[in-house]
Amino acid sequence: MTMYIAREASKVWRKVTAEITAELPLLREKWLLLLAGLVFQYIHGLAARGVHYLHRPGPLLQDLGFMALPELGQDKSYLSECTFVFIFFSFFLWTFHPFICHSKRFYTILIWRRVLAFLVASQVLRIITFYSTQLPGPNYHCREGSSMATLPPPNNVLEVLLINFPRGVNLGCGDLIFSSHMIFTLVFVRTYHKYGTKRFIKLLSWLMAIVQSLLIIVARKHYTVDVVVAWYTVNLVVYFVDNKLPEMPDRTNGLPLLPLSTKEKDGRLKDEKDSRLKDEFHKLLNGNHGDPTDRRQRVQMNGRHDDATANGVLSDATANGA
């Protein structure tokens, strides 16, 4: 048993080291973009913290989702967060499966660059939206009478910059339209739908996104409009940003280990074009033009065909009495 575990551990370690070797050049090339995406996550949290200072509690707005779905209750509101944590870490672990699995379709560095681009574009729109209009928060700690519904003016800049993590993130108010939880959920689900391989998990992920949406509403973390706007905004953002980004190489098709640069792509295209021209030239020399519709007999270059043709002409002339 010990020998088996040691042998399997050695195999896994070899896979990890091989994948690290493949990913490191990509990390050296894309690290600035990845760092910018991570830094913007902090900026997004800072913006959400800032709007909390502007939040003013008030009566709950009339909401169709609140009328249709029963309230979950403050003691069970954690179910929404548990679902989101499960979605987040499931996706996070899946993006690192190329390090231990033999079958792999993408590079971890490239897929996280893509995911961060989707998140940043969606979060920019979200910041603009919730700063444009502040609505009274429906969450329990944001309602009238709660001491956390409004924040006193900060004593110093450091108090704002630290954003009271993680308590300030979970107990924020005012950053409503549109839901940040749904941004992450939909970006993760759409990414797996495109690059995942298990059809059952794809269907399950969309079902989890719907369940997450309903739990956010019944837990009164957001108004229904916050969830609805997230559904069509994030999907549109992912669609347009995905079309602008270069497609990732598919590792299942035996493509080069790393994506080619523009110069390398141009050189490869030139070589392929030269190869095609050489093939066409050889076909013309051999009397095979390559066009299946052209059935004309080709004159061979070795002289035998000319002799046979001349003999045929003489035979016809003799038969005619010439």
Side-chain angles (χ1 to χ4, degrees), residues 59-214:
L60 292 181
L61 303 178
Q62 187 171 351
D63 188 281
L64 185 62
F66 289 3
M67 291 186 285
L69 299 173
E71 190 169 345
L72 191 61
Q74 190 171 1
D75 57 332
K76 297 180 181 178
S77 61
Y78 67 89
L79 293 175
S80 172
E81 291 300 322
C82 290
T83 305
F84 176 74
V85 169
F86 174 77
I87 294 172
F88 184 93
F89 281 103
S90 297
F91 179 82
F92 181 83
L93 293 175
W94 170 74
T95 60
F96 283 89
H97 84 269
F99 284 85
I100 57 175
C101 296
H102 178 72
S103 176
K104 54 195 72 176
R105 188 177 177 184
F106 55 81
Y107 297 95
T108 301
I109 296 296
L110 294 183
I111 202 166
W112 272 107
R113 184 195 67 158
R114 213 171 191 85
V115 167
L116 287 171
F118 299 152
L119 291 176
V120 169
S122 301
Q123 289 165 344
V124 167
L125 296 177
R126 180 174 188 258
I127 292 172
I128 295 172
T129 306
F130 66 63
Y131 266 102
S132 299
T133 302
Q134 289 86 46
L135 303 178
N139 211 335
Y140 301 102
H141 63 272
C142 300
R143 298 179 184 179
E144 292 178 314
S146 173
S147 60
M148 293 181 289
T150 57
L151 292 179
N155 296 321
N156 51 61
V157 177
L158 190 61
E159 183 179 339
V160 179
L161 295 178
L162 291 179
I163 65 176
N164 193 21
F165 184 84
R167 184 179 175 85
V169 176
N170 294 326
L171 299 178
C173 298
D175 56 327
L176 292 175
I177 301 177
F178 42 94
S179 170
S180 179
H181 283 59
M182 289 309 301
I183 290 178
F184 281 90
T185 299
L186 291 172
V187 166
F188 293 166
V189 169
R190 281 195 60 110
T191 302
Y192 184 83
H193 186 84
K194 182 174 182 179
Y195 298 105
T197 56
K198 306 297 183 182
R199 180 178 176 83
F200 171 74
I201 299 180
K202 292 180 181 182
L203 296 175
L204 181 62
S205 63
W206 283 111
L207 179 62
M208 291 293 292
I210 295 173
V211 171
Q212 177 69 63
S213 303
L214 297 177

Side-chain angles (χ1 to χ4, degrees), residues 63 65-66 69-72 80 212-225 227-228:
D63 188 281
F66 289 3
L69 299 173
E71 190 169 345
L72 191 61
S80 172
Q212 177 69 63
S213 303
L214 297 177
L215 285 175
I216 288 174
I217 296 173
V218 298
R220 301 303 189 253
K221 293 182 178 295
H222 280 274
Y223 291 108
T224 305
V225 66
V227 176
V228 172

Side-chain angles (χ1 to χ4, degrees), residues 4-21 98-101 104:
Y4 174 78
I5 295 176
R7 185 169 61 251
E8 292 301 314
S10 176
K11 291 180 180 178
V12 171
W13 177 247
R14 285 198 299 269
K15 291 178 182 178
V16 171
T17 53
E19 188 65 21
I20 290 175
T21 304
F99 284 85
I100 57 175
C101 296
K104 54 195 72 176

